Amino acid sequence: MTQQLRRTLGLFDAVVVGLGAMLGAGVFVALGPAAGAAGTGLLWGLAVAALVAYCNAMSSARLAVDYPASGGTYVYGRERLGAFWGWLAGWAFVVGKTASCAAMALTVGAYAWPGQAHAVAVAAVVVLTAVNYGGVRKSATLTRVIVAVVLGVLAAVVVVALGSDAADAGRLGLGLGTEADPEAGPVSAHGVLGAAGLLFFAFAGYARITTLGEEVRDPARTIPRAVPLALGLVLAVYACVAVAALSVLGAGELGRSEAPLADAVRAAGASWLVPVVRVGAAAGALGALLALILGISRTTLAMARDGYLPRGLAAVHPRFQVPHRAELAVGGVVAVLAATVDVRGAIGFSSFGVLAYYAIANASAWTLGSGLVRIRAAVGLVGCVVLAFALPGPSVVSGAAVLLLGAAWYAVRRR
């Protein structure tokens, strides 16, 4: 069986894959815990997360021009920094994004059928693994439909919330004061950075574009254009949604919410829209889960090619042109996690792993040259490290432990 993937995705498809990965559980779930961390400083946390994500995105896009192969930062770290750093990036990505998959699947279950969230999550993983098995074109087509549904639902939420009598611009807290929402408590730099780390979870989907580098047509032109375009569109959407939710709920109530956007439209007096929001949330999480399984399986493929994972996972299906064994393995692991873990814990754990992944991407980009490339790489690297250690304590401890386990496995394998 051939080990090469087919280049079938153009600019529009690449942007849609990025949108599908980012417009998922992040916008429907992460606003709650982020508001709990930052209080009325939520929008500042969003701005910090966006800045770090932009630097990471541009570093990744620049690297993808030179290394247009499946694997993303696993490949970049290996080629620019050495085999160990490539391995650590791949390990952080696969482990962290597998936790993201579980969070996305559980979001589907929580919104679609709250009483059977874990069962629905497992079913969603099985179905989407089957879709990915049928080829990347089928995945891209389904993602287009999902993105259209999610954008329509989010637009309805923003219009209804901001147009209601419950909306109050004073709750936005742009001055970092507590007078806008006394329930939220004082705003601190640590809280804003913690919120940025949690919200980074919602931005990190643009990596799907670079991990699909082997399946994108003319990657030297397509990827550097698709990454910032997808990121910019998502930032605009997130900013509108965050403003709408804050204006009707306030940071205190938003931080306590398990379903922030459903609560926002309810507070705006539009309870009839709650079922629509639930459908949109489930669809968005499905789109993100679809794109995540794509990205993880491609990184698994690259690591298996180099022998860091079982070489059998490097097989490419002769008809569908997908890494079918890697996809089945990823789907199986995610299904087990979706049946057992908690969504908020999965978000924090995932954020730490993904921030470590992008820290290595920025370090790799630093070696490419000078000027603007190095400035963005430096800002991105420092930002990733700061946000990683501003996450909740359990997320930092578990994330660091998993990275150490990966380093130990590399050392054992070398011997």
Side-chain angles (χ1 to χ4, degrees):
M1 289 184 289
T2 176
Q3 302 300 301
Q4 297 300 312
L5 302 178
R6 185 180 299 153
R7 298 193 183 277
T8 60
L9 301 179
L11 176 62
F12 181 76
D13 290 322
V15 171
V16 168
V17 167
L19 291 177
M22 288 184 274
L23 293 174
V27 69
F28 288 98
V29 176
L31 284 177
T40 52
L42 175 63
L43 295 180
W44 292 104
L46 180 64
V48 173
L51 174 63
V52 176
Y54 168 76
C55 292
N56 294 346
M58 297 312 296
S59 291
S60 297
R62 175 63 183 83
L63 287 159
V65 172
D66 290 348
Y67 306 101
S70 289
T73 301
Y74 164 71
V75 175
Y76 313 150
R78 181 192 66 197
E79 297 298 325
R80 305 302 306 185
L81 303 175
F84 170 74
W85 294 106
W87 156 259
L88 195 63
W91 173 261
F93 181 85
V94 170
V95 173
K97 284 303 183 180
T98 300
S100 292
C101 283
M104 300 298 178
L106 286 167
T107 299
V108 176
Y111 276 95
W113 191 357
Q116 298 292 331
H118 288 280
V120 174
V122 173
V125 172
V126 172
V127 171
L128 293 186
T129 299
V131 171
N132 279 337
Y133 196 98
V136 71
R137 290 297 309 172
K138 291 183 175 64
S139 301
T141 299
L142 179 57
T143 302
R144 290 185 188 185
V145 176
I146 291 173
V147 167
V149 171
V150 174
L151 288 176
V153 171
L154 293 179
V157 170
V158 172
V159 170
V160 167
L162 294 181
S164 71
D165 294 336
D168 181 359
R171 295 192 179 109
L172 299 182
L174 293 176
L176 294 180
T178 60
E179 66 281 353
D181 189 357
E183 292 185 23
V187 178
S188 66
H190 185 269
V192 170
L193 292 175
L198 292 169
L199 288 169
F200 185 83
F201 165 84
F203 281 108
Y206 55 79
R208 298 305 78 69
I209 301 171
T210 60
T211 54
L212 294 173
E214 198 170 310
E215 293 161 277
V216 174
R217 295 194 301 268
D218 192 8
R221 293 184 67 249
T222 300
I223 292 177
R225 295 165 63 194
V227 169
L229 183 56
L231 185 63
L233 290 172
V234 167
L235 173 59
V237 172
Y238 281 7
C240 292
V241 173
V243 167
L246 274 177
S247 67
V248 295
L249 292 177
E253 188 175 347
L254 182 59
R256 294 188 294 271
S257 176
E258 294 289 336
L261 301 192
D263 289 342
V265 296
R266 191 179 290 112
S271 297
W272 57 269
L273 191 58
V274 172
V276 178
V277 172
R278 291 191 176 279
V279 170
L286 281 171
L289 178 58
L290 181 69
L292 279 167
I293 293 174
L294 274 174
I296 297 170
S297 62
R298 271 58 180 177
T299 300
T300 301
L301 166 72
M303 297 174 74
R305 283 171 170 170
D306 293 339
Y308 289 109
L309 292 175
R311 289 190 181 275
L313 296 176
V316 175
H317 197 283
R319 176 184 173 188
F320 300 122
Q321 291 294 297
V322 297
H324 57 295
R325 292 179 184 172
E327 287 183 344
L328 292 175
V330 170
V333 173
V334 173
V336 171
L337 289 177
T340 57
V341 302
D342 169 72
V343 65
R344 289 200 172 202
I347 289 175
F349 177 80
S350 171
S351 293
F352 189 93
V354 174
L355 284 163
Y357 171 85
Y358 283 113
I360 296 173
N362 284 298
S364 301
W366 173 267
T367 67
L368 290 175
S370 58
L372 184 59
V373 173
R374 282 197 165 182
I375 292 173
R376 285 194 299 238
V379 173
L381 176 58
V382 172
C384 285
V385 173
V386 171
L387 294 188
F389 286 96
L391 289 167
S395 299
V396 175
V397 172
S398 59
V402 168
L403 288 184
L404 289 174
L405 179 63
W409 172 253
Y410 179 85
V412 169
R413 184 188 173 283
R414 290 279 290 183
R415 290 196 178 192

